[in-house]
Amino acid sequence: EPEVTQTPSHQVTQMGQEVILRCVPISNHLYFYWYRQILGQKVEFLVSFYNNEISEKSEIFDDQFSVERPDGSNFTLKIRSTKLEDSAMYFCASSTGTGSNQPQHFGDGTRLSIL
Amino acid sequence: DAKTTQPPSMDCAEGRAANLPCNHSTISGNEYVYWYRQIHSQGPQYIIHGLKNNETNEMASLIITEDRKSSTLILPHATLRDTAVYYCIVRASNYQLIWGAGTKLIIKP
């Protein structure tokens, strides 16, 4: 069964450094998402992306965050200058469409630890 | 905020059916009910979704009440590997899923 893959599984970065998290969505999916989950807390939506544009973003997704689809397969989340509070699990998801009847499928996440 | 209410935890004996309830009394007519689960240290896994009718797939069954104000996810023969946090989500927009705290289901041998 096709799946969303994320790399790396664990990223350790010094505060203030830039970090790029990578995702390969399911191949025929057109809509891409990033969520995060701080340890012990709920999953939170960050951003959705379609046709090389951000479709929707949350308040969390400020100027320090950016997303990109650099080629036909990868979808990346960049955090420009990391802060301690960015430490979390980051999940990528993809779907065929955005209708209420289209499930999002998730990867296993990247654990980001900011020191 | 999430539009659903779930019990924080439940236990179920291995081999028995696990019935996980969810209340969504403010659901709108075009909103689907989705169920995901998150096994420790893994990403959320899609289980099933439905609008009005009951749904069944290889993982579970979803029973939605006629007034659509509540639903039940049924795992017919729970195994130890079904131990996870189960999330009931009402699809509130075209893009984002809004997550609650879910139900921690523990399957006991």
Side-chain angles (χ1 to χ4, degrees):
Chain A
E1 186 175 322
E3 57 182 26
V4 176
T5 57
Q6 292 187 242
T7 55
S9 56
H10 191 189
Q11 173 80 46
V12 181
T13 301
Q14 291 287 333
M15 186 173 59
Q17 296 295 305
E18 175 183 286
V19 67
I20 297 176
L21 309 182
R22 290 183 166 79
C23 168
V24 178
I26 294 172
S27 63
N28 65 336
H29 285 187
L30 301 175
Y31 295 82
F32 315 115
Y33 314 84
W34 284 101
Y35 290 80
R36 79 171 185 191
Q37 186 175 31
I38 295 170
L39 185 64
Q41 298 187 22
K42 300 175 186 177
V43 177
E44 300 173 289
F45 170 79
L46 293 178
V47 66
S48 61
F49 190 84
Y50 168 69
N51 200 26
N52 282 320
E53 289 185 351
I54 290 174
S55 314
E56 188 176 18
K57 62 181 181 179
S58 71
E59 290 179 356
I60 302 168
F61 194 87
D62 61 22
D63 292 345
Q64 292 300 310
F65 292 87
S66 61
V67 288
E68 190 180 28
R69 187 147 163 87
D71 54 42
S73 59
N74 288 287
F75 178 52
T76 62
L77 174 70
K78 182 194 290 188
I79 308 175
R80 217 175 318 276
S81 177
T82 50
K83 299 178 261 210
L84 293 176
E85 54 264 39
D86 293 326
S87 295
M89 285 291 293
Y90 286 81
F91 297 108
C92 173
S94 68
S95 65
T96 54
T98 61
S100 296
N101 196 22
Q102 306 290 335
Q104 297 177 15
H105 296 272
F106 287 76
D108 274 339
T110 293
R111 179 175 299 282
L112 178 63
S113 300
I114 307 300
L115 304 180
Chain B
D1 286 349
K3 294 177 70 172
T4 61
T5 304
Q6 299 177 253
S9 64
M10 290 182 65
D11 292 345
C12 179
E14 189 179 17
R16 304 297 294 268
N19 296 279
L20 292 96
C22 179
N23 286 322
H24 31 80
S25 57
T26 61
I27 193 170
S28 301
N30 62 346
E31 289 178 325
Y32 280 74
V33 178
Y34 278 76
W35 284 84
Y36 283 81
R37 72 181 183 184
Q38 192 172 21
I39 295 169
H40 182 62
S41 299
Q42 297 182 20
Q45 179 186 22
Y46 165 74
I47 302 173
I48 199 167
H49 71 286
L51 182 64
K52 294 186 219 181
N53 300 322
N54 298 337
E55 302 287 343
T56 294
N57 63 20
E58 65 278 4
M59 288 182 70
S61 295
L62 173 60
I63 309 298
I64 302 173
T65 57
E66 196 168 338
D67 63 8
R68 302 214 321 126
K69 292 185 177 181
S70 65
S71 61
T72 301
L73 178 75
I74 301 172
L75 307 178
H77 304 287
T79 71
L80 297 178
R81 286 179 297 180
D82 292 322
T83 291
V85 179
Y86 287 77
Y87 299 96
C88 170
I89 299 171
V90 167
R91 190 76 176 264
S93 78
N94 281 339
Y95 301 108
Q96 62 177 291
L97 297 172
I98 299 176
W99 303 74
T103 295
K104 184 170 185 177
L105 176 66
I106 298 173
I107 307 300
K108 298 192 168 179

